Amino acid sequence: MDVLAVKQACKFAKEHALKNGPIILEMDTYRYHGHSMSDPGSTYRTCDEISGVRQERDPVERVRKLVLSHDLATEKELKDMEKEIRKQVDEGIAQAKESPMPEPSELFSNVYAKGLGVEAFGPDKKELRAVLP
Amino acid sequence: MATTSLRTIGRSVCRVSRRGFSTSCDDKLVQPSSKSTNLYSAINQALHIALETDPRAYVFGEDVGFGGVFRCTTGLADRFGKSRVFNTPLCEQGIIGFGIGLAAMGNRAVAEIQFADYIYPAFDQIVNEAAKFRYRSGNQFNCGGLTIRAPYGAVGHGGHYHSQSPEAFFCHVPGIKVVIPRSPQQAKGLLLSCIRDPNPVVFFEPKWLYRLAVEEVPEYDYMLPLSEAEVIREGSDITLVGWGAQLSVMEQACLDAEKEGISCELIDLKTLIPWDKETIESSVRKTGRLLISHEAPVTGGFGAEISASIVERCFLRLEAPVARVCGLDTPFPLVFEPFYMPTKNKILDAIKSTINY
């Protein structure tokens, strides 16, 4: 899994498509986690397989090594970047957890453009109001 | 989706109110060979019987090979082999297209769509191909062996892609049947009828009841008739019509109404098209009032069709406008699911205002 290879392949595919017609790109990807709580992701593959992919084929890790070997950044700069991103994510999660529940009126918001279209209604409202542009 | 948490809800609620979610009143079905069974196991039994009794029956869909996300197809691949029970690619249009072809060649194709919310990519195949196969060939060909199973409805935390009730879309399509069971016993008998019916059928399973609803289910092979509604509770003041998971909610409203002296007649429609107008009509002629309840949004829901037909037939007998207690006209919400749902109190409220009209 190589982001530069994807870029190259897409460049080739675009040129090919414009010149010669359709082309199929098969993307070789990998999913570290299961789909849901009913699929822990370990019933149809081994944990060794997953950690093997993480160690040998991880696309982020590959770019990290490339950056380091070409002296585009130091190990410390990358670490700091990671820390900063982790902080942003943690703060986002904390904020989401602390936020109050939305107002009940939000149930009807964004079904249509505000002020235009049909006002959604339920069994307690007998009339339907429509506003045309 | 979060099947594990569904399972947990099922277990914890079952202990408290098992009775409320099962409406077994057909005593003749409960025989010594019956066992306490939940809805997904009843479906599983029906699929076992369908494959066992017909060597040309096949079960397929996303993940059905290992039992499906709701465990409805557990053990089928081991018992009947991977050539009769198998996984398909993640392509609903392909699943149904394949099913139509299989059925057209004289097989019984039981296709699973993992969630009713994901049946829309297959809408063209169902509406334009399956439903019209017999008609457009002048009865030279048909795909009557096709049955499409899909879990529908709310689960408490499913949000807009795991909670929808799309039955009304399919009720607008002559050529297919739409069937929704309310309990394990009903699910087994109706599913076997659907699989063996010579017409393509869409069978929606109430996913909330997969583990929640438990009742005595006969172990033997039995079928329940399609297009026959069932009066599951007799009453004289108002008729309530519903289907699937909604019936247990309506039944609780009936019990509460009874405490206030209102006698409710509750009818399970079971087959939405072609539907049993006569049973509803004779009930409304008796009670003079009608309430319909479903989880799908009220506008354009199948309740509207029932309402219109019954008004046509019973206009002079009606004592009050037909009441509809349904989902709101919004996409299915996540945190506001309790507001969206046609809950017991909304139904009770509508019963009272219909009685006091």
Side-chain angles (χ1 to χ4, degrees):
Chain A
M1 293 181 283
D2 183 346
V3 65
L4 297 176
V6 172
K7 185 168 184 265
Q8 277 302 106
C10 289
K11 188 165 176 262
F12 173 83
K14 183 187 167 188
E15 280 159 15
H16 183 278
L18 290 175
K19 226 187 330 185
N20 309 317
I23 184 169
I24 290 176
L25 281 179
E26 186 185 351
M27 295 295 180
D28 183 15
T29 64
Y30 197 79
R31 186 168 81 184
Y32 291 140
H33 302 280
H35 174 69
S36 69
M37 288 164 84
S38 67
D39 167 28
S42 52
T43 49
Y44 42 83
R45 58 186 183 178
T46 62
C47 289
D48 286 349
E49 182 195 305
I50 302 170
S51 60
V53 174
R54 266 194 199 281
Q55 276 159 23
E56 284 156 33
R57 294 181 52 213
D58 188 277
V60 178
E61 194 54 29
R62 179 189 288 268
V63 172
R64 207 178 75 87
K65 280 178 186 154
L66 267 175
V67 168
L68 289 175
S69 66
H70 286 81
D71 288 328
L72 297 173
T74 66
E75 190 121 15
K76 186 180 176 304
E77 281 170 325
L78 292 184
K79 261 266 143 29
D80 290 347
M81 210 188 278
E82 262 173 39
K83 268 188 200 157
E84 177 53 34
I85 293 166
R86 193 170 294 276
K87 201 174 135 229
Q88 277 178 25
V89 172
D90 288 346
E91 281 170 2
I93 293 171
Q95 196 194 349
K97 283 184 173 169
E98 282 163 14
S99 297
M101 282 294 177
E103 288 294 314
S105 64
E106 289 297 309
L107 177 55
F108 297 95
S109 295
N110 298 328
V111 180
Y112 297 102
K114 208 168 189 171
L116 297 173
V118 175
E119 189 175 302
F121 79 123
D124 47 342
K125 284 200 213 168
K126 298 289 182 203
E127 64 181 276
L128 178 70
R129 263 174 289 171
V131 184
L132 299 171
Chain B
M1 233 274 300
T3 320
T4 319
S5 40
L6 254 185
R7 224 173 280 165
T8 324
I9 291 178
R11 270 200 297 268
S12 54
V13 184
C14 273
R15 260 178 258 126
V16 198
S17 55
R18 176 169 298 174
R19 294 244 55 89
F21 289 95
S22 307
T23 42
S24 56
C25 55
D26 205 351
D27 290 333
K28 61 184 179 292
L29 276 174
V30 183
Q31 304 238 322
S33 67
S34 295
K35 253 191 190 162
S36 190
T37 308
N38 62 21
L39 200 142
Y40 90 82
S41 306
I43 298 280
N44 186 256
Q45 279 183 28
L47 293 172
H48 267 100
I49 292 169
L51 288 166
E52 201 171 68
T53 52
D54 188 346
R56 297 191 70 178
Y58 298 84
V59 171
F60 51 92
E62 291 158 16
D63 299 331
V64 303
F66 73 83
V69 289
F70 290 106
R71 314 313 297 155
C72 290
T73 52
T74 303
L76 294 175
D78 291 340
R79 173 117 175 253
F80 299 100
K82 287 185 173 167
S83 59
R84 293 184 65 201
V85 180
F86 46 89
N87 291 336
T88 60
L90 279 166
C91 175
E92 287 75 14
Q93 186 176 24
I95 294 170
I96 303 305
F98 171 76
I100 292 168
L102 196 63
M105 299 313 291
N107 302 290
R108 300 219 174 274
V110 185
E112 176 178 310
I113 299 293
Q114 202 162 71
F115 285 87
D117 310 64
Y118 302 133
I119 205 166
Y120 305 119
F123 201 59
D124 172 57
Q125 287 295 321
I126 298 170
V127 175
N128 275 331
E129 308 300 335
K132 300 171 175 66
F133 214 98
R134 190 188 299 276
Y135 185 76
R136 71 160 193 258
S137 70
N139 202 28
Q140 281 191 71
F141 304 102
N142 72 82
C143 59
L146 176 66
T147 300
I148 302 161
R149 296 178 40 244
Y152 87 97
V155 279
H157 54 252
H160 44 279
Y161 290 135
H162 293 88
S163 310
Q164 295 170 61
S165 301
E167 70 271 7
F169 294 112
F170 299 97
C171 291
H172 200 54
V173 186
I176 52 173
K177 295 188 176 186
V178 176
V179 177
I180 306 181
R182 70 170 185 271
S183 72
Q185 203 182 80
Q186 293 286 317
K188 182 176 174 182
L190 288 172
L191 180 55
L192 280 166
S193 293
C194 291
I195 292 171
R196 292 162 179 168
D197 191 90
N199 297 290
V201 184
V202 181
F203 187 79
F204 287 119
E205 299 165 6
K207 72 170 95 67
W208 205 333
L209 302 189
Y210 270 145
R211 291 183 166 76
L212 208 54
V214 181
E215 68 181 351
E216 295 290 312
V217 175
E219 286 180 304
Y220 55 82
D221 182 348
Y222 66 93
M223 298 201 286
L224 295 173
L226 302 185
S227 293
E228 265 185 38
E230 181 187 342
V231 178
I232 55 178
R233 186 191 159 86
E234 288 193 15
S236 53
D237 297 332
I238 182 169
T239 301
L240 275 69
V241 177
W243 48 86
Q246 191 58 14
L247 282 163
S248 60
V249 180
M250 297 169 83
E251 194 173 40
Q252 286 165 28
C254 290
L255 290 170
D256 280 13
E258 195 176 33
K259 286 177 200 152
E260 306 193 21
I262 303 168
S263 162
C264 301
E265 180 144 306
L266 181 59
I267 300 180
D268 179 5
L269 195 58
K270 298 193 210 183
T271 304
L272 276 69
I273 46 159
W275 63 289
D276 180 359
K277 285 184 188 149
E278 287 66 33
T279 299
I280 315 295
E281 184 186 343
S282 63
S283 174
V284 174
R285 284 196 182 284
K286 184 175 75 174
T287 63
R289 297 175 187 90
L290 175 63
L291 180 151
I292 306 145
S293 184
H294 55 67
E295 277 179 33
V298 60
T299 301
F302 196 62
E305 175 58 37
I306 298 175
S307 171
S309 301
I310 293 304
V311 169
E312 276 168 14
R313 290 172 172 233
C314 309
F315 182 69
L316 291 175
R317 178 67 188 88
L318 285 170
E319 310 269 0
V322 176
R324 284 181 291 160
V325 185
C326 307
L328 306 181
D329 283 333
T330 70
F332 200 99
L334 182 62
V335 289
F336 291 135
E337 179 174 321
F339 294 163
Y340 171 93
M341 293 289 281
T343 51
K344 182 192 76 178
N345 287 341
K346 285 185 191 174
I347 297 169
L348 188 59
D349 219 40
I351 291 175
K352 286 192 221 162
S353 58
T354 305
I355 294 287
N356 298 324
Y357 184 75

